[in-house]
Amino acid sequence: MNESEEPAPGVAALQRRLADFAAARDWQPFHTPKNLAAALSVEASELLEIFQWLTPGESGRVMEDPGTAVRVRDEVADVLAYLLQLCTVLGVDPLAALTEKIERNEERFPPPSRGSHSME
Amino acid sequence: MNESEEPAPGVAALQRRLADFAAARDWQPFHTPKNLAAALSVEASELLEIFQWLTPGESGRVMEDPGTAVRVRDEVADVLAYLLQLCTVLGVDPLAALTEKIERNEERFPPPSRGSHSME
Amino acid sequence: MNESEEPAPGVAALQRRLADFAAARDWQPFHTPKNLAAALSVEASELLEIFQWLTPGESGRVMEDPGTAVRVRDEVADVLAYLLQLCTVLGVDPLAALTEKIERNEERFPPPSRGSHSME
Amino acid sequence: MNESEEPAPGVAALQRRLADFAAARDWQPFHTPKNLAAALSVEASELLEIFQWLTPGESGRVMEDPGTAVRVRDEVADVLAYLLQLCTVLGVDPLAALTEKIERNEERFPPPSRGSHSME
């Protein structure tokens, strides 16, 4: 899906670009952590709205419709934008936070053992 | 905040790691776009829950409390995890989608001109 | 499902009881419309969380499991509590608002006509 | 706010009217508990969206603007509509569920004692 390891720009560059965008429009007073968390939640619901009446099968084919595909990409961008802006104002590194979470989950939810030579 | 341009691992590496994690546990049948969009929305609300009764000022100081800081990082990781998994199953590149969105918004919301001697 | 037309207490009585409950605990300063709207959204997501990984068929049988039924009733109560408290602080009559909405929707979405020999 | 104890129609009458509305349009197949819970959550977020950038004080004055007041009433109606439809398909009595919840909370969160001889 993503052929190259990391398309430019990366997450940190996008965070700076979003911060510059907000600063140029004097939007920082609105960007409290509380407001950004509310906006993130609202955008995540707008993404869910696309899927709310679809069957599981239909939900797997949303990108086949060009108009819906545009809408999905637009809402994904909005969710990521508010998540990154929230991380910036809180001083949270989102990629490091997720890496740590995956490592904790690998311990919490060990995969079922596979194969005939299992000791279990 | 993020000193290096792109800490390893990048977004694409995290997407692969999340996909491997789900595959090792046979969770793919649950990971329809609809279910992942619902889970993303639920996790975004869990992040909002941390802030819901705080004043704007209090919301700016949440990371000063170690227990709350852990909770914030954990919910940020959950939101990002479901967003990336949704992007994987839909074939959406989240960083490209956000880059395009910022470019559209730079045209839609031109910054106010600053000062009468501006060259613009 | 609801055999009697209106079990006591009604909506207005519950609104007063919730207001008294909050006043007795000095919670009114927290109950701004913004905070109550955030709390309502968070509780609606907690209700959605119960269903997020279920198939459509499984979601129709949630009340057969006693533990899940308790959880569903509890989250329904939370959503209704915050909706009613929000209506109280905003001065909105929720039943009147819904009645008007249904009337508007009956005009917006006329039902399909049924059969050429209909008497209507 | 609500002068009369219970304006007609009551909750049960609205539940029947919503069920008839959906049946007349053959919408029942879409109204699984899972889909209704998702729609409820989406509408609660649309209500939150009205408040997301407002200060606490501004959020207390939203009904002074006629256009915003219409939008608030409309979103309140949508949240209540999906909550009632969800309760209908699940067989949950929303007023009874809330009454029980308030009774549990009165035990869980006893109000601070307000004795007449308190020095505080």
Side-chain angles (χ1 to χ4, degrees):
Chain A
M1 209 149 295
N2 293 291
E3 291 304 318
S4 61
E5 174 55 27
E6 196 56 64
V11 163
L14 283 167
Q15 285 185 284
R16 278 196 299 273
R17 195 162 169 186
L18 289 164
D20 291 345
F21 186 91
R25 287 152 187 82
D26 291 326
W27 288 354
Q28 301 110 318
F30 299 99
H31 285 192
T32 62
K34 177 171 180 154
N35 288 1
L36 290 168
L40 169 62
S41 158
V42 167
E43 295 300 334
S45 281
E46 292 186 6
L47 189 50
L48 176 58
E49 190 180 14
I50 299 171
F51 299 96
Q52 66 185 345
W53 304 118
L54 304 185
T55 64
E58 287 166 346
S59 93
R61 294 188 298 273
V62 289
M63 303 305 281
E64 295 173 15
D65 177 69
T68 309
V70 166
R71 206 174 145 206
V72 165
R73 286 174 62 87
D74 196 55
E75 298 298 349
V76 162
D78 283 336
V79 171
L80 184 57
Y82 285 120
L83 180 64
L84 295 185
Q85 290 178 94
L86 179 62
C87 285
T88 299
V89 299
L90 293 174
V92 168
D93 180 330
L95 301 179
L98 178 52
T99 302
E100 291 163 27
K101 176 94 187 199
I102 293 172
E103 283 162 9
R104 284 198 305 279
N105 277 351
E106 282 169 342
E107 290 183 29
R108 277 177 66 200
F109 304 105
S113 62
R114 312 254 181 186
S116 52
H117 299 290
S118 165
M119 296 296 285
E120 288 170 281
Chain B
M1 207 147 297
N2 293 292
E3 292 303 319
S4 60
E5 175 55 26
E6 197 56 64
V11 163
L14 283 166
Q15 285 185 285
R16 278 197 300 272
R17 194 160 169 187
L18 288 163
D20 291 345
F21 186 91
R25 287 152 187 82
D26 290 327
W27 288 354
Q28 300 111 317
F30 299 99
H31 285 191
T32 62
K34 177 171 180 155
N35 288 1
L36 290 168
L40 169 61
S41 160
V42 166
E43 294 300 335
S45 280
E46 292 186 6
L47 188 50
L48 175 58
E49 189 180 14
I50 299 171
F51 298 97
Q52 66 185 346
W53 304 118
L54 303 185
T55 63
E58 287 167 347
S59 92
R61 295 189 297 274
V62 289
M63 302 306 281
E64 295 174 16
D65 177 69
T68 309
V70 167
R71 205 174 145 207
V72 165
R73 287 174 62 88
D74 196 55
E75 298 298 349
V76 162
D78 283 336
V79 171
L80 184 57
Y82 286 120
L83 180 64
L84 294 186
Q85 290 177 95
L86 179 61
C87 286
T88 299
V89 299
L90 292 173
V92 168
D93 180 330
L95 301 179
L98 178 52
T99 302
E100 291 163 27
K101 175 95 187 199
I102 293 172
E103 284 162 8
R104 283 198 304 279
N105 278 350
E106 281 169 343
E107 289 182 27
R108 277 177 66 201
F109 304 105
S113 62
R114 310 257 180 186
S116 52
H117 300 289
S118 165
M119 296 295 286
E120 290 167 282
Chain C
M1 208 147 297
N2 293 291
E3 291 303 319
S4 60
E5 174 57 26
E6 198 55 65
V11 163
L14 283 166
Q15 284 185 284
R16 278 197 299 274
R17 194 161 170 187
L18 289 163
D20 291 345
F21 186 92
R25 285 152 188 82
D26 291 327
W27 287 355
Q28 300 111 318
F30 299 99
H31 285 192
T32 63
K34 179 172 179 151
N35 288 0
L36 290 168
L40 169 61
S41 158
V42 166
E43 295 299 335
S45 280
E46 291 185 8
L47 188 50
L48 176 58
E49 191 180 13
I50 299 172
F51 298 97
Q52 67 186 346
W53 304 119
L54 303 185
T55 64
E58 289 167 344
S59 93
R61 295 189 298 273
V62 289
M63 302 305 282
E64 295 173 15
D65 177 69
T68 309
V70 166
R71 206 173 144 208
V72 165
R73 287 175 61 88
D74 196 54
E75 298 298 349
V76 162
D78 283 336
V79 171
L80 184 57
Y82 285 120
L83 180 63
L84 295 186
Q85 289 178 96
L86 179 62
C87 286
T88 299
V89 300
L90 292 174
V92 169
D93 179 331
L95 300 179
L98 178 52
T99 301
E100 291 163 27
K101 176 93 186 200
I102 293 172
E103 284 163 8
R104 283 198 306 278
N105 278 351
E106 282 169 343
E107 290 182 27
R108 278 177 65 201
F109 304 105
S113 60
R114 309 257 181 187
S116 52
H117 299 289
S118 165
M119 298 293 285
E120 292 167 280
Chain D
M1 206 145 297
N2 292 292
E3 292 302 319
S4 59
E5 175 55 25
E6 197 54 65
V11 163
L14 283 166
Q15 284 185 287
R16 278 197 299 273
R17 194 160 169 187
L18 289 163
D20 292 345
F21 185 92
R25 287 154 187 80
D26 291 326
W27 288 354
Q28 300 111 317
F30 299 99
H31 285 191
T32 62
K34 177 171 179 152
N35 288 1
L36 291 168
L40 169 61
S41 159
V42 166
E43 295 299 334
S45 280
E46 292 186 6
L47 188 50
L48 176 58
E49 190 179 14
I50 298 172
F51 298 96
Q52 67 186 346
W53 304 117
L54 303 185
T55 64
E58 289 167 345
S59 93
R61 294 188 298 273
V62 288
M63 303 305 281
E64 295 174 14
D65 177 68
T68 310
V70 166
R71 207 175 144 206
V72 166
R73 287 174 61 89
D74 196 55
E75 298 297 350
V76 162
D78 283 337
V79 171
L80 184 57
Y82 285 120
L83 180 64
L84 295 185
Q85 290 179 94
L86 179 62
C87 285
T88 299
V89 299
L90 292 174
V92 168
D93 179 332
L95 300 179
L98 178 51
T99 301
E100 291 163 26
K101 176 94 188 199
I102 294 172
E103 283 162 8
R104 284 198 305 279
N105 277 351
E106 281 169 344
E107 290 182 28
R108 277 177 65 200
F109 303 105
S113 62
R114 311 256 182 184
S116 52
H117 299 287
S118 167
M119 298 294 287
E120 289 168 284

